[in-house]
Amino acid sequence: QVQLQESGPGLVKPSGTLSLTCAVSGGSISSSNWWSWVRQPPGKGLEWIGEIYHSGSTNYNPSLKSRVTISVDKSKNQFSLKLSSVTAADTAVYYCARVWSAAWGPFDPWGQGTLVTVSS
Amino acid sequence: QSALTQPASVSGSPGQSITISCTGTSSDVGGYNYVSWYQQHPGKAPKLMIYDVSKRPSGVSNRFSGSKSGNTASLTISGLQAEDEADYYCCSYAGSRVFGGGTKLTVL
């Protein structure tokens, strides 16, 4: 059973770069799945950030595309998120998730999420 | 793209049925059968309840069902139970992906 676990700094300074990693266990990141990042500001709804295939192909939310980089490390069975030039508006719980069933399929399972606060 | 439109809140009594709508456009909900629904309890990660408009993953109660008409998708929960009280989000393919704003379900 695939499980995902996010990790990374919980506090990032404004104008800095947010960096998170999602470790995949119970399955291979090189399987026929895409892998995604979704975020949720405190008290607000979900926002899709982007996703990656093990080949390195990516899809990004157009509204974040200029600041987002998602990469994959097959040797460590993990994928990562970098979000540059962050502001307080980027404060959120960040989730990683597997895209199940097919490209553009649903998100399942999800990691437990990690809160990242942007503050000086 | 704009977020899909969901009612901010719905409520129902135990045993009743409720429906949550998710309205988009012909470029997202109406154009593809890639609509999924997620349940989120406070402080927890979202959980997949419905995918591809009306398919139910293994382990999800058959009290949950999904449908679509035109640009509006719907999630119906029958036989409401206390544990169904949660936030619900729809999500659609739209050339990329777009979520609804979320609906808080209260079981009275």
Side-chain angles (χ1 to χ4, degrees):
Chain A
Q1 170 179 349
V2 172
Q3 294 184 310
L4 298 92
Q5 178 68 58
E6 306 89 348
S7 62
L11 181 63
V12 181
K13 294 187 185 308
S15 77
T17 296
L18 179 159
S19 296
L20 296 174
T21 296
C22 180
V24 178
S25 60
S28 173
I29 202 164
S30 296
S31 61
S32 300
N33 295 107
W34 288 71
W35 305 89
S36 189
W37 288 97
V38 176
R39 70 179 182 179
Q40 184 172 36
K44 297 188 178 181
L46 301 169
E47 179 180 32
W48 176 69
I49 299 171
E51 53 202 48
I52 190 165
Y53 196 64
H54 62 77
S55 63
S57 295
T58 54
N59 295 308
Y60 295 136
N61 185 324
S63 67
L64 298 170
K65 186 174 184 177
S66 63
R67 300 194 291 129
V68 173
T69 301
I70 298 176
S71 59
V72 64
D73 187 335
K74 289 184 280 187
S75 67
K76 294 183 178 179
N77 217 41
Q78 65 186 31
F79 63 107
S80 299
L81 168 70
K82 290 188 185 299
L83 181 66
S84 63
S85 303
V86 297
T87 69
D90 295 309
T91 293
V93 175
Y94 285 76
Y95 295 100
C96 59
R98 180 185 66 173
V99 177
W100 176 63
S101 177
W104 300 112
F107 303 116
D108 183 63
W110 297 60
Q112 66 183 27
T114 187
L115 174 62
V116 179
T117 301
V118 178
S119 175
S120 56
Chain B
Q1 68 270 23
S2 300
L4 306 176
T5 300
Q6 297 182 233
S9 63
V10 298
S11 62
S13 299
Q16 289 186 330
S17 295
I18 64 95
T19 296
I20 299 172
S21 62
C22 170
T23 301
T25 69
S26 58
S27 297
D28 40 61
V29 174
Y32 309 94
N33 287 326
Y34 287 134
V35 177
S36 52
W37 289 90
Y38 302 88
Q39 176 192 65
Q40 186 180 37
H41 287 109
K44 301 295 187 181
K47 174 187 175 183
L48 175 66
M49 305 303 285
I50 295 288
Y51 69 101
D52 292 356
V53 175
S54 60
K55 297 177 181 178
R56 202 169 41 248
S58 174
V60 172
S61 171
N62 60 9
R63 298 185 298 105
F64 291 82
S65 62
S67 62
K68 188 181 82 168
S69 177
N71 296 335
T72 298
S74 299
L75 172 71
T76 297
I77 309 173
S78 60
L80 267 181
Q81 299 179 0
E83 61 259 35
D84 299 333
E85 184 163 297
D87 293 328
Y88 291 84
Y89 294 90
C90 61
C91 182
S92 176
Y93 173 69
S96 58
R97 296 182 187 264
V98 61
F99 279 97
T103 298
K104 180 176 180 58
L105 169 61
T106 300
V107 180
L108 302 171

